[in-house]
Amino acid sequence: MSATMRAALLTGIGWPLEIREVPIPRIGPDEVLVRTLSSGVCRTDLHIQDGLAYVPELPHIMGHEPAGIVVERGLAVSEVEVGEMVVPHLFIADGDCRFTRAGADAQALHLRGILGVTLPGGFAEYFSAPARNLLRVPAGLDPRIAGLSSCAVVTALHAYRRGTVTPVRTAVVIGAGGIGQILLQLLAGAGVPAAAVDMREDNLALAIRNGADHTALASATDRVPALRAWAESRADGTGAADGVDLVIDLVGSSTTMADAAQYVRRRGRIVVVGEEPDFPGISSTSLAQRELEIIGSRNGDRSDQHDALRLLAEGVITPSLDEEYPLECANEALARLRSGQAHGRVLITHEALRRHRGDQRNDARRGAGEQPAAPCETPETDKPS
């Protein structure tokens, strides 16, 4: 094995990524080295590049939805074998606490960091992680899909579970992007009529295909009365519904939180997944007098990710995939997501994946006389002085 690997490095806030040769991670006795096959591109990657929410030590390797093959393990590792396909649980803790013992590493009191967010991630040919943070991928599951279990899918499943600890008859999902579409699949699978609210018509059209019973444009002036009327129509003859049982807010702005308070019924529940610096647009009077519950939800527990992989393997959850880019085109992948034109998860894939699956699609294209894709061009974004 070479001593170096190619990686897409963030070297400055607001700068494009640079493809460089960097040392392959050296692993400790309880760690594992993984050859990356694929990594999803998430809006959090854009936030990191823009210096919002998370500011890692630079240079930094992003990518927090990777899947790969174990190529080396430390002397103390027995949990996984060389050659197995794995995905990471992102939250890496130093030492145990009551949260890590419960599998809730996202709330660890001694959190070292988050793989791909504050620690090096999957926009590189290799990544490393403690063995306890790795989960085996079920046989036959596409690694491009499996990697999404680390963020998009586990986030949706955890939020769904946080919202359905009591019976739910109607729900609203605010934000019908990738996570929102998965939530709609989960709600539809559970027989819960759900409405989707989003800024984009195409996301709402996809929401209907994923089981949404009602949709509303976030810019529509009648969105609140229309949605409450829909909820009443779903009240099964019990009279005025007074809103929905559950709202899951994937945006988290002051505006969407104010809307959530109008969508939800008395003693209803609002689960907040989206993170913004805004203060919630809900008065304490409304909270107290209507006895509303507001619940935060971050990523998911280990058990959630185990179940996410199982549901993906069983086809219960079917995330949409958008364009696939080689590592050299990492900036184009980020630009695709930033453009708002992506219809599903944008992916960065590696040469190891093309070897893993035999690159049958490219062989077929060459056989049909198609030309290979042109090499990527570096974006013309000027580095700040």
Side-chain angles (χ1 to χ4, degrees), residues 29-52:
D30 65 343
E31 294 181 321
V32 171
L33 183 65
V34 181
R35 179 182 289 118
T36 315
L37 297 176
S38 173
S39 187
V41 181
C42 173
R43 192 154 295 276
T44 298
D45 295 313
L46 301 183
H47 291 167
I48 296 169
Q49 187 178 37
D50 295 341
L52 303 175

Side-chain angles (χ1 to χ4, degrees), residues 188-232:
V192 177
V197 181
D198 197 87
M199 293 291 294
R200 290 172 46 179
E201 293 272 16
D202 55 344
N203 280 350
L204 295 179
L206 181 59
I208 292 172
R209 294 198 292 274
N210 280 318
D213 190 62
H214 176 83
T215 62
L217 273 173
S219 59
T221 56
D222 66 341
R223 63 188 181 279
V224 173
L227 197 145
R228 291 177 68 87
W230 166 80
E232 185 170 354

Side-chain angles (χ1 to χ4, degrees), residues 46 49 325 330-341 379:
L46 301 183
Q49 187 178 37
Y325 297 83
N331 285 303
E332 282 76 2
L334 292 171
R336 171 70 176 172
L337 178 60
R338 196 181 291 276
S339 73
Q341 300 304 307

Side-chain angles (χ1 to χ4, degrees), residues 281-293:
I282 304 175
S283 71
S284 56
T285 299
S286 180
L287 281 175
Q289 292 187 356
R290 299 181 64 220
E291 296 188 3
L292 303 181
E293 297 181 24

